[in-house]
Each structure stands twice: as C-alpha cells, then as structure tokens.
C-alpha cells in the first residue's frame, strides 16, 4: 500500500450530537403486549499435607546416680524398709498446686481492714468483760495414772473455767476494754511460754465467749477484731508447736534421712503422711480438748483458729472441717454473731486453703438466708432495748459482708466474668453510660490481677459486643473513662484485632454523618492503628483487604468542613499511621485529590493565592506518596488522576510533572501482574491506561520549552520502545487509538476544555505549522500500522490482520477527511482487507454500511456515497 497524506475531517460536534439522537416514529400497538412472548429463531452449528516429627534429646547421666549401683548401704536399707522412699510424696505437681493455692498480693489482707474497723465502730457506753482468775482446786496426778485419768483431769480443768473461776469486770470504757483484751493476749503468750497449755486454752475460750455478747451492739465489729487477734495468736502457737514436733523424736535412721531431705521443704509443703505419730497424737489431743467446749460459739471460734492444724492429721481434713464448721454456724441464733463467725471462718479458710470455694459460697448463701432474722422479734426487741435504728444496725454487717464477698470473688476469672458478661447487657439497656462505665471499671479491677484476662478473652469479647449495639453515638461511647482501658486488656494480637474490627464495623454501619469530634477521632485512630500494626509478612491478602476497608470507612467519615488545611493535616497523619496498607494509602491520595477539587468548588473559581497554595500542597502530598506504592498500575492511574486534578485547578507545572512521571513509568510495567494470586497479562490494563491518558492530553497545553506535542511524542516513544508480548498487536492498537486524539487536536474548537486553562487550540489558534505537525505524526502512525498489517499477511495472523484493518478503517471513517482520494482509497482497501478471509463480523459490517449510507445523506459528506458503492460484503468460504 502506498503512503498517504493525512487530512483530518472538520468536525461539527453540536450537529453530530443532534444527529445521534433517536428519531420519533409511530408504533403499531395492534399486535403488541408487554407480556407477549418474544420468539427468537436460532440457527446453530455443531461442534464447538505436612507432617510433624518429634525428637527426644538424651540426658547426660548423673555421675552421682551412676555410682548407686545397689552397693550403697543406705540405699539397701531404704530398699528393705517398708516405708516409702525418700520424700517422693512431695512431687512437683503438688508444689505447683500448692503454689496456686496460696493467697497472692492481689488479695487485700485482713490487717489492712483492722484499723479501719476499730476507728469506725466505737461506743461511749460502758462495757463488761470476764477475766480468768485461776482455780483453787488442787489437782494431783501420779506417773502411774492411766490415760483415762489424764483425760478426766484435763476435762476437769476445763470445767473449772466454766464453773466460776472467773471474774466479771463492769463499767469499762472502750479504751479500758481494749487494754484488758491486750492484757489477755499477753497472758496467753506468757502461759504458753511457761508451758501452761491448759491455762492458755482457758483464756482463749473465755475470750471467745465474749463474741456471744451483743449487749453493746455498736461496738461488736471492733470487739470481733480484738478477740480474733487472740484467736490468731493461739492458732499460730499451737500450729508451731505441732510443726516443731515433726522434727524431733526421730527413732530410726530412716527418719533422720527423711529429716535431712525435708529441711528445705517441710515448712511449706508436706502431707499428713510425712507427719510422725507423736505430732499427730498431740494434734488430736488439742482437737479433743476443743470438742469438750460446751458452748457453740467458743467451740466454733477455737476450732476455726486451729483449722490449719488439720494438715497434720489427714490430707482432706481442712476441707472436711470447713464444711462441718460452716454447717454448725447455722445453729447460731443471733444473725450479727453468725455473720462475723462466718467472716472469721472465711478468713482462716483463705489463709489455709483459698482454692476451696465451696465453703466460701455456702457461707455467702447462708448469710443471705439469715437476713430474714433481722426482722424477727428477737432482733427487733434487742434493737429497741439499745435504741438502735435499723439503718445503723445494718452498717454493723458491712465489714463481715465485705470480707466474705472478697473471699468469694478472689481469683474467680471465670465465675465473675461469666456473671459480668450477662449483667453488662442489663446495665446497657436500663442505665446510662455512668453505670456502664462503673461495670467496666469493676471488670478491669477483677481481671487485671495475675493477668486473669488472658483466660477470659471470649467473655471479654462478648462484653464489647453487648455494649456496642447500645452506643451508636461514639462520642458517648468514647467519653466513658474505662472503655479504652478495657480494650487494653486484649493483649493477644489476634483477639485484639477482632475486637477492633467489631468496633469499626459498628461505627461504619451506624455513623450517619461525618465527624470532627476529637474524642472520636483520637479513639478510632488508636483502634485503626492497632489493626494496622497487626499486619506483618505473614498476613493474608484477604485480611489486609478487610482491614483496609474498615480503615478507609473511618477515613471517609472524617470531615473538618471548610477547614481544608486541617483535613490535609489529618491525611498526612493517617499516611504515617497506615503506611503498611497500600489500599489505605491509595484511598488517602484519592481523598486529597477530592479535597483539592472541593476547594476549587467552594471558592467558586476565585483562584486566590491561598487557594493556589493549598492545591499545590495537595499536589505535593500526592507526588510524594505515589512512589511508595508497590502496584505499578496504582501508581500510573494516580499520577494521571493527580495530573487531571492539578490541571483542573490551573496548576499547570504540577500537572505537567504528574503526566511526565506517568510516561516515564511505562517502561517499568511488567508483562504479567498478579491478580488474586494468579498471573495475568498486563497488556489489557496498560492499553486501558494509555487510552485514558490520551483522552487527557487533548486539554494539556504544550510546554513552551518542550516543543510541539511533546507529551504525545513522549508517550508514543515509550510505546515504541516497550517490550510487548510476542505476537501482540497492543502497540498497533495504541497507534490507532492515538489517531482520534491527533484529529481532535487539529480542530478549531476542541470537544472539551477546562475552564481557565488555555489548551493548544488557544495557544496555536489553528496555526498551519501545528496542523502540519499533527498530520505528519498521523501519517507516521498509519505507516506503522500498515507495515504491521503486511507482516500479518505473511503468516497465520490473518484473523488479527482483519481485526486491525477494520479498526483502522473505522478510525479513518470517523476522523479522516475522506474527500482526499488517497485516504479514501486506503479506507476502501482496509475494508476489503478486513473482509478478505471472512473473519469480520457480518452483523457489524452491515450496521457499518448502513451508518455510512446514512451519513452520506448529509451535504458535506456526500462523497461517502461513491465510497459505499465500492464496499462489498464477503463471507467466509
């Protein structure tokens, strides 16, 4: 095919638009109904796993153990003995269990409450106290006395105390009473030190009896504190005495070996099997003495004081004793005396076996059941006699109840949070944020010690999910002081992210208007940053997309109104915060470009210096941020978008920089890209971008220092040098796509322009030299296309040849001046070439001919009639 001279057809866009509108014609509705079936006649044709392995490491032999080959006499003695081997009963499992059974520093000790109770519950009334005065009876015992005689003598000694060897002191002031109690405590220690064990027990019994006396009821809590000090002293003395007996009277070499091996552990961890018979007999003797106490209250208190001593008898003794004493307290008639007895039993129980929760729970429920007694006749008469009102009386219960509740709630991660999980929903439904905040604070208080929250993540998540539906106003939600500290308990990354995602989902769903509330913004930035910081090299793409959607939803809801500079500052901060999520960065760039356009609209075209400076700042934001993206097509499209925005805001130098950056990036486009984990050809995406780029170049004025059509030439040069796929027609299609742009540039009036931006139509004003440059470039492109078509004719590319020929024919028909004979003949030749092998779509060809005939009816396009006569339809043989 000979070379041609290109002449662009003069276009009248307004007239063409009118021609394209639908014609009005009459419709015959006689045989029409919208529900009538449509019959379609079709003519078809035939044919067409990991495995895990475990390895065991060998342990070096112990040189000392290797020497024990059975010849050691001590080993032989131990093997021959019927007694078990050296303290095997103290295993690591028991040590670990007993460590868990100890009360930790997170439990508020009784000593911290003692002073408060003494200072709070005082009285000015006179008090009385019974003092042990000794006995005048002489008791003789002979070495030959039988065991029954010893027991009888001890019982008589106890009876001596209860039968009158005591003196009552009356009219004591509170301070005198305290002094007398301290004297009794000292007398107890002195009696014990002088080996007068029975006298010491008598003092304890006498003091315990004082707890049955409620004659000065307002002083009872303080009396309880003073008397239980004596009980604690007595319990410690007895325990130490029995414990010391476990280290003496060793009758055999085996016990000696056992002592040596147990010196380091016996004071903390032992079982009843490790206790010798002498210590057990002494312990039983003490419990027999206690069992002989006739009155219920002193017997309960003294046995509770010696609760720890049950360890010397049986391994289950403490648990059994706690249950028995709990049931015995039900026999106390005065509810105030009963509640403080329960408090003391819970106190010694927590010191000895805090893990035994059953007795604690029973004491608590028994306490609740005993409240009905308060309105009984006995209590009401007592209050009337002492002139004490019910509100005052009820405050006397508070120290005991508070202590019992603390014991019940201690280290309950599971029972407490299961209850709180339910109650928080009730609080949200029926109360205000103040009460909800209180519940959250209480949960934090209970779940923080010992990092208990780590075992309750499902329940804590449930708490969040039950709160969120009731607080759609996030300014109210985040104004709760304890909400964010509550979120801090989610320290496992996966759980923390899930909680943050649930919060963001509710925010995006229910936030109706954009916000600038600093409380909301700071809180949600923190939450979104938490989600962002969870991203690492192992994070799946789906998870990244999910997080990005939530963060972008938050960014969309942030608006500072007409304070555009504050909005841009927020985007700068967000860029630094979410730098690892590329979809978020892309969204931020779109947001900044939209911000620049909103500025232009608000200013209504008044391009003040301040507005221009702001738009340039937005352009700088995009220009700096785009290179950080890894997706090359995201970079290309954002360079183009940012250039268009800069052009719309009359920032020509910024627009020029964006467009040149896009052109210079084209050689870096890979031949394949990854889409949803699969490798795809990049050509369709590259062609789409180039077509968009070409449509933008129509309104971009030439740079005065760069020459005519420098961006168009630069783009075509990049396309020429790009390494396309083998057997690809993409480059030729770009050349064909460039022809309409060049034809549009040669028009006197452009199809579209940007207000206040002088395009080439204004700069060149139809200058013949400019038109000549356009025509020359078009001829070069056509020549490239024709050469490619010739090459396709020499191989099996006839189908591709026909498609390209028809595309170029359509371009010439729409944009070329076919009055030019050579151009007209070229169009006819391209038509014939496209139909030569019968691969052209017949329906498309028919419609094209009909369009040409219709166009030929116009006066300025009458030359198309002659061309139509030369266009024939050919079918594939």
């Amino acid at each position: 095919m000979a070379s041609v001279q290109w002449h662009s057809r003069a276009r009248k866009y307004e007239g063409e638009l009118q021609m394209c509108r639908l014609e009005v014609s009459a419709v015959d509705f006689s045989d029409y109904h919208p529900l009538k079936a449509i019959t379609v006649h079709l003519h078809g044709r035939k044919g067409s796993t990991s495995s895990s392995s475990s390895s065991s490491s060998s342990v070096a032999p112990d040189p000392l153990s290797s020497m024990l080959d059975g010849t050691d006499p001590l080993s032989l003695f131990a093997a021959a003995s019927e007694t078990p081997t050296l303290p095997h009963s103290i295993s690591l499992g028991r040590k670990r269990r007993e460590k868990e059974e100890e009360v930790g520093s997170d439990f508020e000790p009784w000593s911290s409450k003692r002073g408060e109770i003494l200072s709070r519950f005082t009285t000015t009334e006179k008090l009385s106290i019974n003092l042990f005065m000794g006995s005048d009876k002489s008791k003789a015992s002979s070495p030959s006395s039988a065991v029954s005689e010893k027991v009888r003598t001890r019982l008589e000694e106890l009876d001596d105390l209860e039968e009158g060897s005591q003196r009552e002191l009356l009219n004591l002031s509170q301070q005198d009473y305290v002094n007398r109690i301290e004297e009794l405590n000292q007398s107890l220690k002195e009696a014990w030190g002088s080996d007068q064990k029975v006298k010491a027990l008598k003092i304890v019994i006498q003091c315990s009896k004082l707890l049955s006396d409620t004659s000065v009821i307002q002083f009872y809590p303080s009396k309880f504190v003073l008397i239980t000090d004596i009980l604690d002293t007595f319990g410690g003395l007895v325990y130490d005495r029995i414990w010391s007996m476990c280290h003496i009277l060793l009758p055999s070499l085996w016990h000696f070996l056992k002592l040596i091996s147990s010196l380091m552990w016996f004071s903390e961890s032992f079982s009843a099997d490790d206790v010798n018979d002498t210590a057990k007999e002494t312990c039983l003797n003490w419990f027999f003495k206690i069992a002989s106490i006739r009155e219920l209250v002193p017997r309960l208190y003294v046995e509770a004081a010696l609760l720890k001593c049950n360890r010397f008898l049986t391994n289950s003794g403490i648990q059994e004793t706690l249950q028995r004493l709990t049931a015995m307290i039900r026999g106390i008639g005065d509810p105030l005396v009963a509640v403080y007895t329960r408090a003391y039993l819970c106190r010694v129980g927590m010191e000895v076996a805090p893990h035994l929760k059953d007795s604690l729970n029973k004491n608590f429920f028994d306490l609740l059941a005993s409240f009905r007694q308060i309105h009984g006749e006995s209590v009401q008469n007592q209050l009337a006699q002492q002139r004490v009102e019910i509100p005052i009386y009820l405050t006397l219960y508070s120290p005991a109840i508070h202590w019992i509740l603390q014991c019940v709630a201690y280290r309950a991660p599971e029972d407490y949070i299961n209850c709180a999980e339910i109650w928080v929903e009730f609080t949200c439904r029926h109360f205000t944020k103040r009460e909800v905040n209180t519940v959250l604070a209480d949960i934090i208080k209970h779940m923080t010690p010992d990092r208990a929250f780590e075992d309750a993540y499902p329940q804590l998540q449930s708490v969040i999910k039950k709160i969120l539906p009731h607080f759609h106003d996030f300014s109210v939600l985040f104004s709760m002081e304890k909400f964010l500290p509550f979120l801090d308990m989610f320290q496992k990354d996966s759980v923390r992210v899930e909680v943050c995602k649930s919060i963001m989902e509710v925010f995006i769903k229910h936030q109706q208007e954009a916000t600038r509330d600093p409380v909301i913004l700071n809180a949600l930035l923190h939450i979104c940053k938490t989600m962002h910081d969870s991203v690492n090299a192992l994070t799946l793409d789906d998870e990244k997309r999910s997080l990005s959607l939530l963060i972008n939803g938050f960014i969309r809801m942030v608006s500072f109104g007409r304070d555009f500079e504050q909005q841009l500052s927020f985007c700068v901060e967000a860029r630094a915060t979410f730098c690892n999520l590329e979809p978020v960065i892309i969204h931020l760039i779109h947001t900044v470009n939209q911000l620049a356009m909103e500025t232009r609209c608000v200013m209504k075209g008044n391009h003040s210096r301040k507005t221009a400076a702001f738009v340039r700042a937005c352009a700088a934001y995009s220009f700096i941020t785009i290179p950080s993206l890894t997706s090359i097509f995201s970079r290309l499209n954002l360079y183009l978008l940012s250039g268009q925005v800069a052009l719309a805001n009359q920032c020509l130098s910024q627009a020029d920089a964006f467009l040149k950056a896009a052109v210079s990036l084209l050689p870096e486009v890979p031949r394949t890209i990854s889409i949803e984990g699969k490798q795809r050809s990049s050509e369709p995406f590259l062609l789409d971008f180039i077509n968009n780029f070409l449509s933008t170049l129509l309104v971009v004025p030439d740079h005065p220092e760069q020459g005519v059509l420098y961006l168009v030439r630069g783009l075509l040069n990049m396309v020429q040098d790009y390494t396309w796929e083998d057997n690809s027609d993409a480059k030729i299609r770009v050349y064909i796509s460039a022809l309409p742009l060049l034809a549009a540039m040669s028009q006197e009036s452009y199809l579209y322009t940007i207000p206040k931006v002088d395009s080439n139509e204004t700069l060149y004003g139809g200058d013949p030299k400019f038109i000549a440059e356009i025509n020359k470039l078009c001829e070069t492109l056509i020549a490239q296309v024709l050469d490619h078509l010739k090459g396709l004719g020499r191989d099996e590319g006839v189908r591709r040849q026909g498609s390209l020929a028809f595309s170029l024919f359509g371009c010439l028909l729409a944009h070329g001046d076919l009055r030019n004979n050579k151009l007209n003949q070229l169009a006819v030749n391209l038509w014939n070439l496209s139909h030569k092998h019968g691969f052209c779509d017949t329906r498309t060809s028919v419609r094209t001919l009909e369009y040409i005939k219709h166009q030929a009816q116009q006066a300025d396009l009458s030359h198309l009639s002659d061309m139509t006569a030369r266009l024939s339809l050919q079918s594939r043989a």
Side-chain angles (χ1 to χ4, degrees):
M1 297 180 183
S3 61
V4 298
Q5 275 189 325
W6 173 266
H7 294 280
S8 299
R9 178 168 67 90
R11 305 291 294 273
K12 297 179 180 179
Y13 295 118
E14 291 290 339
E16 292 180 18
L17 179 61
Q18 295 294 332
M19 293 290 296
C20 292
R21 289 179 177 172
L22 297 178
E23 297 181 0
V24 179
S25 60
V27 179
D28 182 12
F29 289 99
S30 59
D31 194 32
Y32 170 78
H33 190 275
L35 299 181
K36 183 179 180 180
I38 299 176
T39 304
V40 180
H41 299 280
L42 300 177
H43 300 279
R45 60 181 181 180
K46 287 187 177 183
S48 81
T49 8
S50 68
S51 63
S52 61
S53 61
S54 60
S55 60
S56 60
S57 57
S58 60
V59 181
D62 182 10
L64 296 180
S65 300
S66 62
M67 297 299 295
L68 298 178
D69 54 357
T71 59
D72 179 40
L74 296 180
S75 301
L76 291 174
F77 178 80
S81 175
E82 294 180 357
T83 312
T85 56
L86 283 174
H88 66 285
S89 58
I90 305 302
S91 64
L92 292 177
R94 186 202 298 175
K95 289 183 178 181
R96 186 181 302 110
R97 182 177 66 254
E98 291 179 352
K99 183 176 181 181
E100 294 174 354
E101 294 171 0
E102 295 176 356
V103 176
S105 58
D106 55 326
F107 186 80
E108 186 177 3
W110 175 256
S111 58
S112 65
K113 302 178 181 294
R114 183 181 182 279
E116 178 187 356
I117 296 175
L118 291 175
S119 61
R120 178 182 175 188
F121 297 96
T122 61
T123 184
T124 58
E125 297 185 25
K126 297 302 181 181
L127 303 167
S128 63
I129 188 171
N130 291 326
L131 286 178
F132 169 68
M133 300 302 298
S135 175
D136 294 333
K137 296 181 181 180
S138 59
K139 298 178 177 61
S141 60
S142 62
S144 59
S145 299
V147 175
S148 59
E149 180 66 20
K150 292 181 180 180
V151 173
R152 183 180 64 81
T153 302
R154 290 170 180 171
L155 291 177
E156 289 177 353
E157 291 175 348
L158 294 175
D159 289 338
D160 178 37
L161 175 62
E162 300 186 11
E163 288 176 358
S165 59
Q166 47 194 317
R167 184 182 68 188
E168 186 175 16
L169 299 180
L170 303 175
N171 299 324
L172 296 177
S173 66
Q174 177 177 320
Q175 187 58 45
D176 292 336
Y177 190 93
V178 172
N179 293 338
R180 295 298 182 183
I181 295 297
E182 291 178 355
E183 290 176 5
L184 287 173
N185 200 355
Q186 186 62 30
S187 298
L188 168 65
K189 296 177 182 177
E190 292 175 356
W192 190 271
S194 60
D195 203 25
Q196 300 182 52
K197 304 297 189 296
V198 175
K199 179 180 179 181
L201 178 58
K202 290 179 179 181
I203 294 174
V204 173
I205 295 173
Q206 184 64 25
C207 292
S208 300
K209 286 186 176 182
L210 297 176
L211 293 175
S212 301
D213 178 23
T214 57
S215 57
V216 184
I217 200 167
Q218 296 181 356
F219 185 67
Y220 191 85
S222 294
K223 180 196 293 188
F224 171 80
V225 171
L226 296 172
I227 300 302
T228 53
D229 285 347
I230 297 178
L231 289 166
D232 293 341
T233 301
F234 178 71
L237 291 172
V238 175
Y239 181 86
D240 292 342
R241 168 63 178 163
I242 301 174
W243 182 87
S244 65
M245 298 179 70
C246 296
H247 292 279
I248 61 175
L249 302 177
L250 301 177
S252 65
L253 177 62
W254 168 246
H255 287 97
F256 176 71
L257 295 174
K258 191 172 183 180
L259 171 62
I260 294 176
S261 64
S262 64
L263 285 176
M264 296 181 62
W265 57 263
F266 193 81
S267 61
E268 296 180 358
S269 303
F270 67 93
S271 68
D273 298 333
D274 302 312
V275 180
N276 57 49
D277 294 339
T278 303
K280 286 186 176 181
E281 182 181 354
T282 304
C283 185
L284 281 172
N285 189 28
W286 278 109
F287 282 115
F288 288 152
K289 291 178 181 179
I290 295 171
S292 67
I293 301 175
R294 297 176 182 176
E295 297 184 21
L296 177 60
V297 172
R299 186 166 71 250
L300 276 170
Y301 271 103
V302 178
E303 186 170 0
L306 269 60
L307 178 66
K308 190 175 182 181
C309 295
N310 284 278
R311 297 180 63 188
F312 298 111
L313 299 178
T314 62
N315 293 332
S316 60
I318 292 177
Q319 182 175 3
E320 295 170 356
T321 303
L322 281 172
Q323 294 176 353
R324 178 171 53 82
L325 295 181
T326 298
M328 289 172 61
I329 295 175
R330 298 168 185 167
I332 299 177
D334 192 312
L336 184 64
V337 176
V339 73
Y340 276 94
T341 309
R342 291 188 180 96
Y344 184 70
L345 183 60
C346 291
R347 178 156 75 86
V348 295
M350 286 297 293
E351 294 173 356
V352 176
H355 62 288
L356 298 178
K357 295 288 187 179
D358 289 343
S359 62
L360 297 174
N361 293 333
K362 288 181 180 178
N363 274 289
F364 174 71
F365 287 112
D366 286 350
L367 162 66
L368 298 179
S370 68
F371 271 118
R372 70 185 68 174
Q373 295 177 273
I374 294 176
H375 300 285
E377 182 179 354
S378 175
V379 174
Q380 292 296 323
N381 291 338
Q382 184 183 26
L383 296 181
Q385 182 180 0
Q386 300 190 35
R387 299 179 181 179
V388 176
E389 299 292 335
I390 283 290
I392 302 289
Y393 175 71
L394 291 178
T395 60
L396 302 177
Y397 286 79
S398 60
I401 295 176
H402 185 274
W403 179 261
I404 293 174
L405 288 175
Q406 180 184 352
C407 295
V408 170
Y410 181 66
R411 288 184 179 172
E414 193 171 344
D415 297 334
Y416 170 82
I417 193 60
N418 287 336
C419 180
E421 177 187 356
I422 303 302
W423 279 100
V424 73
E425 185 173 12
F426 174 80
T427 309
C428 291
R429 286 185 177 183
H430 302 289
F431 295 91
T432 65
K433 70 169 186 176
R434 178 174 174 270
E435 288 74 23
V436 176
N437 188 65
T438 302
V439 173
L440 294 180
D442 195 64
I443 294 176
I444 294 171
K445 177 182 176 181
H446 283 82
M447 304 305 295
T448 301
D450 294 334
R451 300 177 67 86
F453 53 77
E454 292 181 342
D455 299 322
Y457 284 140
Q459 294 90 336
L460 294 176
Q461 282 182 274
S462 178
V463 169
I464 290 293
K465 291 181 179 179
K466 289 179 178 179
I467 290 177
L468 291 177
H470 300 280
F471 288 91
H472 295 165
D473 187 347
F474 275 70
S475 61
V476 176
L477 179 67
F478 292 128
S479 65
M480 288 194 294
E481 181 183 356
K482 296 299 180 180
F483 185 77
L484 291 181
F486 185 89
L487 295 183
D488 290 337
M489 289 196 294
F490 296 97
Q491 296 189 9
K492 185 178 180 181
D493 288 342
S494 59
V495 179
R496 189 182 183 90
V497 170
E498 287 302 317
V499 171
C500 292
K501 288 169 66 175
S502 64
I503 295 174
M504 292 308 303
E505 287 170 357
V506 173
F507 174 79
I508 294 172
K509 180 179 180 180
H510 295 285
Q511 186 71 19
Q512 301 295 330
E513 299 178 353
T515 181
R516 60 186 300 174
D517 188 331
V519 174
I520 296 179
L521 297 187
N522 290 333
L524 291 183
L525 269 176
H526 172 74
I527 291 173
C528 290
K529 186 178 186 302
T530 299
M531 296 191 300
H532 167 269
D533 292 346
S534 68
V535 175
N536 53 44
L538 301 179
T539 305
L540 299 177
D541 290 339
D542 287 343
E543 178 67 8
K544 291 181 180 179
R545 281 193 290 268
S546 175
L547 296 178
S548 298
L549 284 174
L550 294 174
I551 296 175
N552 288 342
F554 161 62
I555 294 173
R556 277 193 294 269
M557 298 307 298
V558 177
S559 175
F560 292 89
R562 293 194 176 186
D563 191 349
F564 300 117
E565 293 181 357
Q566 184 67 25
Q567 189 82 30
L568 181 59
S569 298
F570 170 80
C571 291
V572 172
E573 181 182 0
R575 178 180 62 187
T577 304
F578 309 122
C579 57
N580 290 331
L581 289 174
E582 188 158 302
V584 178
I585 301 301
I586 294 174
H587 180 75
L588 285 170
I589 297 173
H590 281 283
T591 301
V592 170
N593 282 319
Q594 182 180 359
L595 185 62
M597 294 303 296
E598 288 178 359
T599 306
R600 174 175 175 268
C601 295
V602 169
M603 299 306 296
K604 297 181 179 179
N606 297 327
H607 201 63
S608 64
R609 292 183 178 179
K610 184 176 181 180
T611 305
F614 178 79
V615 172
R616 287 195 294 270
C618 292
Y621 178 98
S622 299
F623 197 78
I624 293 172
T625 309
I626 291 174
S628 67
L629 302 176
T630 58
S631 170
I632 192 165
F633 280 104
S634 295
R635 280 184 277 165
L636 286 171
N637 290 319
L638 287 173
Y639 273 135
L640 178 58
L641 174 64
S642 301
Q644 293 169 343
V645 172
L647 200 62
N649 285 278
Q650 301 98 50
C651 297
L652 300 183
S653 60
Q654 284 77 14
D656 187 69
F658 279 117
L659 298 177
K660 285 198 295 186
V663 172
S664 63
L665 190 61
L666 288 176
E668 299 180 20
V669 176
R671 296 176 65 175
T672 60
I673 57 176
S674 177
I675 300 178
E676 296 182 352
K678 297 181 180 180
Q679 292 297 317
R680 307 283 188 184
S681 172
S682 63
E683 282 191 358
F685 303 95
L686 183 56
L687 287 176
D688 184 61
F689 167 75
I690 291 175
N691 287 332
N692 290 336
F693 193 88
L694 289 171
S695 65
T696 302
L697 292 182
L698 177 63
V699 294
V700 179
D702 282 339
H703 195 283
E705 300 177 358
Q706 300 291 340
V708 179
L709 302 177
Y710 79 101
L711 279 176
V712 178
R713 294 179 188 275
L715 174 65
L716 295 176
N717 288 336
M718 289 295 181
V719 171
Q720 176 69 30
D721 297 336
Y722 183 76
T723 304
W724 299 92
E725 293 183 14
D726 298 336
N727 300 321
S728 171
D729 300 323
K731 179 171 67 175
I732 301 305
R733 293 193 178 278
V734 171
Y735 292 162
I736 295 175
S737 298
L739 292 174
L741 167 66
L742 295 172
M745 284 183 167
S746 64
Q747 303 299 318
E748 292 184 2
S749 297
Y750 284 0
L751 179 60
Y752 48 86
T753 58
I754 296 178
K756 297 188 177 181
V757 174
D758 293 333
S759 303
N760 286 337
E761 61 172 340
T762 304
L763 295 180
Y764 295 107
D767 188 342
K769 294 182 179 180
F770 177 66
I771 301 300
E773 287 290 335
I774 292 176
N775 292 340
K776 182 178 179 181
L777 186 55
C778 289
E779 293 168 5
T780 302
L781 294 177
I782 292 174
Q784 293 281 342
V785 174
L786 295 179
D787 289 342
H788 184 74
L789 290 175
K790 290 179 182 179
L792 292 176
R794 293 194 294 266
D795 52 29
E796 298 180 357
V798 290
R799 180 186 292 273
R800 293 159 50 201
Q801 183 189 58
S803 176
L804 289 174
F806 194 80
S807 296
L808 182 56
F809 168 80
C811 181
L812 295 179
L813 180 65
H815 304 284
D817 186 359
L818 296 183
R819 290 175 299 184
N820 181 282
N821 292 332
K822 291 185 176 181
L823 203 59
N824 190 301
Q825 184 59 46
L826 176 61
V828 173
N829 293 341
L830 289 171
W831 173 274
N832 294 332
L833 181 62
S834 65
H835 289 77
K836 180 177 180 180
H837 300 285
F839 290 108
C840 192
D841 182 53
T842 302
R843 184 167 52 182
T844 303
S845 300
V846 171
R847 290 180 178 177
T848 302
L849 277 177
E850 291 176 354
Y851 169 78
I852 297 173
K853 293 176 181 178
H854 179 74
Q855 292 291 95
Q857 297 175 6
Q858 301 180 39
D860 56 341
L861 295 177
S862 57
H863 57 278
L864 293 179
S865 299
D866 296 335
M867 188 183 75
T868 303
R870 292 183 290 161
L871 301 179
S872 60
L873 292 175
Q874 298 180 7
S875 61
R876 181 169 52 184

